[in-house]
Amino acid sequence: DAGITQSPRHKVTETGTPVTLRCHQTENHRYMYWYRQDPGHGLRLIHYSYGVKDTDKGEVSDGYSVSRSKTEDFLLTLESATSSQTSVYFCAISGQARNNEQFFGPGTRLTVL
Amino acid sequence: GDSVTQMEGPVTLSEEAFLTINCTYTATGYPSLFWYVQYPGEGLQLLLKATKADDKGSNKGFEATYRKETTSFHLEKGSVQVSDSAVYFCALSSRGSTLGRLYFGRGTQLTVWP
């Protein structure tokens, strides 16, 4: 199994509070991704990274920011959480940009009250 | 834009039944195609993949063939087991896509009864 962990695994927070989710990998993979999973939508890309300090937006990036100061860590921040951000968040990693599988973390279930 | 459409669920089958989950795609150029599986409470795992037309991906008794002429990548298994109960996602990675992002279908829930 790819060495990828996410923390916390579960979190309940209140509207308006900041939240940071962490993805940590031990595979030294260059590419990292944050997805959210919601019923009826599959997985949707929030942000991705193609190297240290190199990040870009995905299709549902509003309300989220990311940072990658080290190869192994990719942080997702909700600056001011809203109820619409209640979801399951998955981090994924990949060693190549194209035609290559992505390895997924176990997910973080976030509830915003 | 690139997208994946897969069969709506849920799908309920008896053990040893034949499984088909339909997946069609829209993409510029010739994408790579994937099936991922998600067991309850877990992340997604790659089940199989195909990177060019007419390729057949296979794993754990599951198969899917990359059909360019019908833009399809249907998942099949000849005899399902209770342990196959999970959510299955079809996905594509477009060769023209920036940095290998995956486009996912909405997922199909499969339940297999003994």
Side-chain angles (χ1 to χ4, degrees):
Chain A
D1 291 343
I4 176 168
T5 57
Q6 293 183 232
S7 59
R9 294 293 313 279
H10 303 270
K11 186 170 182 66
V12 179
T13 191
E14 294 187 350
T15 298
T17 59
V19 176
T20 296
L21 309 182
R22 180 183 184 232
C23 177
H24 179 77
Q25 60 144 330
T26 58
E27 304 297 321
N28 201 35
H29 281 347
R30 178 180 177 186
Y31 301 94
M32 299 185 75
Y33 309 82
W34 276 108
Y35 294 90
R36 60 178 290 174
Q37 182 180 25
D38 304 289
H41 289 279
L43 276 78
R44 293 179 291 175
L45 183 66
I46 305 171
H47 281 280
Y48 59 93
S49 170
Y50 46 98
V52 174
K53 300 192 189 304
D54 292 324
T55 65
D56 208 344
K57 297 179 179 180
E59 61 185 301
V60 290
S61 59
D62 287 349
Y64 302 94
S65 63
V66 290
S67 66
R68 192 170 178 199
S69 58
K70 298 184 289 185
T71 299
E72 58 265 36
D73 289 326
F74 192 31
L75 304 180
L76 177 70
T77 298
L78 292 66
E79 300 291 347
S80 178
T82 67
S83 58
S84 65
Q85 294 175 311
T86 292
S87 187
V88 181
Y89 291 86
F90 287 99
C91 177
I93 63 175
S94 179
Q96 299 177 28
R98 296 180 178 178
N99 306 324
N100 202 47
E101 69 175 288
Q102 293 180 14
F103 298 94
F104 283 79
T108 294
R109 182 173 295 277
L110 176 67
T111 302
V112 183
L113 302 176
Chain B
D2 296 341
S3 66
V4 172
T5 302
Q6 68 180 95
M7 177 175 157
E8 297 268 336
V11 174
T12 303
L13 295 173
S14 297
E15 205 164 28
E16 300 184 1
F18 184 84
L19 169 71
T20 300
I21 301 178
N22 291 338
C23 172
T24 58
Y25 66 87
T26 301
T28 52
Y30 304 104
S32 293
L33 301 172
F34 306 84
W35 277 101
Y36 281 82
V37 59
Q38 183 180 31
Y39 298 103
E42 298 183 9
L44 279 70
Q45 304 171 24
L46 180 69
L47 181 59
L48 53 84
K49 71 176 183 181
T51 58
K52 62 182 187 294
D54 299 324
D55 269 1
K56 177 185 284 188
S58 62
N59 186 25
K60 300 181 181 179
F62 291 89
E63 294 182 340
T65 301
Y66 188 159
R67 301 287 189 199
K68 186 179 69 163
E69 62 275 14
T70 55
T71 61
S72 65
F73 193 55
H74 304 321
L75 182 68
E76 297 182 336
K77 186 175 185 183
S79 177
V80 294
Q81 305 299 312
V82 172
S83 58
D84 294 326
S85 298
V87 181
Y88 293 82
F89 292 92
C90 186
L92 73 81
S93 175
S94 174
R95 294 179 195 274
S97 169
T98 303
L99 301 169
R101 63 157 297 175
L102 291 176
Y103 295 83
F104 285 90
R106 295 185 176 186
T108 302
Q109 172 77 54
L110 170 66
T111 301
V112 180
W113 296 99

